[in-house]
Amino acid sequence: MLSALMEHGALHRAELARICGLSRTTVSTIVADLITGGVVIEVVGDQVARAGIDASEVDGRARGFLQANPRAGTAGGLDFTLERVWCHLTDLSGATVASQGATAARDTPWQERLTAGLALLDELLSQAGVDRDSLVGVAIGVPGPIDLQTGVVGPSLPGQAWAGVNVAAEFARHLDVPVLVENNTRLEAVAEFTWGAGRAARDVLYLGLSTGIGSGLLVDGNLHLGGARGGGGEIGHLSADSSGAPCPCGNRGCLVQFASLNAVLAALAPVLGEDAGLDELLAAAADGRPETVEVLRTAGEMTGRVLANICNLLNPERIIVGGELARAGELVLEPIRATLRRTAMALTRDVEVVAAELDLGARAGASGAAALVLRQTDQLVSALLATPDQQTAGEAV
């Protein structure tokens, strides 16, 4: 019920019962407990309009409109990349309370990154006029796969400071709230699904074309957590060319060898220079330089070739392409679409392929982390109803 209110906004009790598949009597009983606990509020008068409800719908039932109480708690998200940490705070309606980042040297050890993340969290809580007691949970994004059995982060990019660390356990030493840890590409997927290009879709595949290539899958609005051990989603290591060069992962012709930012820059080094970076690449693309356009077209076609197999298997409603390479726009997106139309099955080839809408990297990951906290409604309700004078309500729920 709380999840429905956070997703749909203010709802009448009858509508809430329909969405949740519950009787009105059951809804009324649970709602009473949630209102007593301060988790849900009734929306009346001018509040109805502010909640986005059409005035024509408001009649004698006005007291029946319910809304998750935005002030009942704060969801925190932290996201760590090689050179940045970002913190994002939202209230229970998903509205941004504060959002800010800081830089970090590539060789910064994980202990210092943890300290910096906690300091940034406290700074933003202070700016918002609240303290850690308001937190209902914190989710943390890091590069690399997280072993679902041990909680330990696996190796990914060279210099990844969190490799071999149980990030949830280390942060739990300092935070007296539920702590979630997820791969930061999957958190970008949650952010896009919640606030970006994935809105109004239910089955979404997010693809991050960055220095590596990762993905996040949401099925019926739920994040797929990476399979039996957490190693799923490594689209970059699906083969785009079985006769291609060997990859360190053990495969041949992996997508990351064609469509990652590093691969594209390496292919264009003779034209753009060995020291060229993203800015030079985008400038050459904007100028329509033939060599750059051709390399980007190849990257898009190889990506489309891999995605065609995924579409045949999973048939997502929408594919969102993010990461630095997505900033080249249609030079990458159109070859992806064309390859899908040519190689995927008839029922899956018309999938929407769109560019990500949110900021790159840590900022998007942190907002996705906060959204992930809001999606963990079982933990969320427990945290919200955990104060001593609310124990009775919590037990009833």
Side-chain angles (χ1 to χ4, degrees), residues 304-309 312 338-345 349:
R305 186 180 298 180
V306 168
L307 288 175
N309 291 324
N312 289 345
T339 305
L340 280 170
R341 289 193 295 268
R342 186 173 66 251
T343 58
M345 295 193 312
R349 67 177 56 144

Side-chain angles (χ1 to χ4, degrees), residues 117-135:
L118 291 173
L120 189 57
L121 175 64
D122 286 334
E123 180 181 346
L124 266 62
L125 288 170
S126 178
Q127 289 178 15
V130 296
D131 54 31
R132 287 190 185 181
D133 289 342
S134 74
L135 288 171

Side-chain angles (χ1 to χ4, degrees), residues 223-276:
L223 179 66
H224 179 64
L225 297 179
R229 290 289 298 271
E234 294 295 333
I235 287 182
H237 291 287
L238 294 180
S239 180
D241 180 4
S242 59
S243 62
C247 178
C249 76
N251 202 355
R252 299 185 71 93
C254 289
L255 181 60
V256 72
Q257 297 173 308
F258 301 96
S260 66
L261 176 61
N262 290 348
V264 168
L265 289 174
L268 288 171
V271 178
L272 302 181
E274 295 290 339
D275 296 327

Side-chain angles (χ1 to χ4, degrees), residues 88-396:
H88 188 87
L89 303 179
T90 75
D91 62 24
L92 292 197
S93 71
T96 299
V97 173
S99 191
Q100 187 175 312
T103 58
R106 280 178 169 257
D107 60 354
T108 302
W110 70 263
Q111 296 90 339
E112 293 182 22
R113 292 174 186 265
L114 182 149
T115 299
L118 291 173
L120 189 57
L121 175 64
D122 286 334
E123 180 181 346
L124 266 62
L125 288 170
S126 178
Q127 289 178 15
V130 296
D131 54 31
R132 287 190 185 181
D133 289 342
S134 74
L135 288 171
V136 295
V138 175
I140 299 157
V142 295
I146 295 96
D147 190 316
L148 296 180
Q149 294 182 12
T150 66
V152 173
V153 179
S156 56
L157 299 173
Q160 211 293 72
W162 296 105
V165 179
N166 187 321
V167 178
E170 294 299 336
F171 272 90
R173 299 177 192 274
H174 305 272
L175 296 170
D176 192 24
V177 293
V179 176
L180 308 171
V181 177
E182 186 51 87
N183 171 269
N184 45 23
T185 301
R186 285 202 279 268
L187 291 180
E188 292 171 24
V190 175
E192 287 289 342
F193 180 86
T194 307
W195 292 300
R199 296 188 305 275
R202 299 304 300 172
D203 298 321
V204 170
L205 176 67
Y206 173 83
L207 180 70
L209 301 178
S210 187
T211 50
I213 299 179
S215 69
L217 176 66
L218 289 103
V219 179
D220 196 24
N222 298 308
L223 179 66
H224 179 64
L225 297 179
R229 290 289 298 271
E234 294 295 333
I235 287 182
H237 291 287
L238 294 180
S239 180
D241 180 4
S242 59
S243 62
C247 178
C249 76
N251 202 355
R252 299 185 71 93
C254 289
L255 181 60
V256 72
Q257 297 173 308
F258 301 96
S260 66
L261 176 61
N262 290 348
V264 168
L265 289 174
L268 288 171
V271 178
L272 302 181
E274 295 290 339
D275 296 327
L278 178 63
D279 291 341
E280 290 78 11
L281 169 64
L282 295 177
D287 290 341
R289 294 180 62 174
E291 302 92 340
T292 301
V293 171
E294 177 62 21
V295 170
L296 290 173
R297 182 190 64 79
T298 299
E301 288 180 348
M302 290 299 194
T303 301
R305 186 180 298 180
V306 168
L307 288 175
N309 291 324
I310 293 174
C311 286
N312 289 345
L313 177 66
L314 300 177
N315 191 22
E317 176 183 355
R318 187 175 300 167
I319 295 174
I320 302 170
V321 183
E324 288 87 347
L325 212 59
R327 293 175 61 183
E330 292 300 312
L331 292 177
V332 172
L333 295 178
E334 187 49 40
I336 292 175
R337 297 189 193 104
T339 305
L340 280 170
R341 289 193 295 268
R342 186 173 66 251
T343 58
M345 295 193 312
L347 286 177
T348 67
R349 67 177 56 144
D350 292 328
V351 57
E352 292 182 271
V353 179
V354 300
E357 294 181 0
L358 303 179
D359 289 340
L360 295 174
R363 184 169 188 172
S367 66
L372 188 65
V373 172
L374 296 180
R375 289 175 175 276
Q376 304 298 311
T377 50
D378 289 345
Q379 293 184 2
L380 186 59
V381 172
S382 297
L384 288 168
L385 298 178
T387 56
D389 59 337
Q390 294 168 342
Q391 288 300 315
T392 302
E395 291 167 4

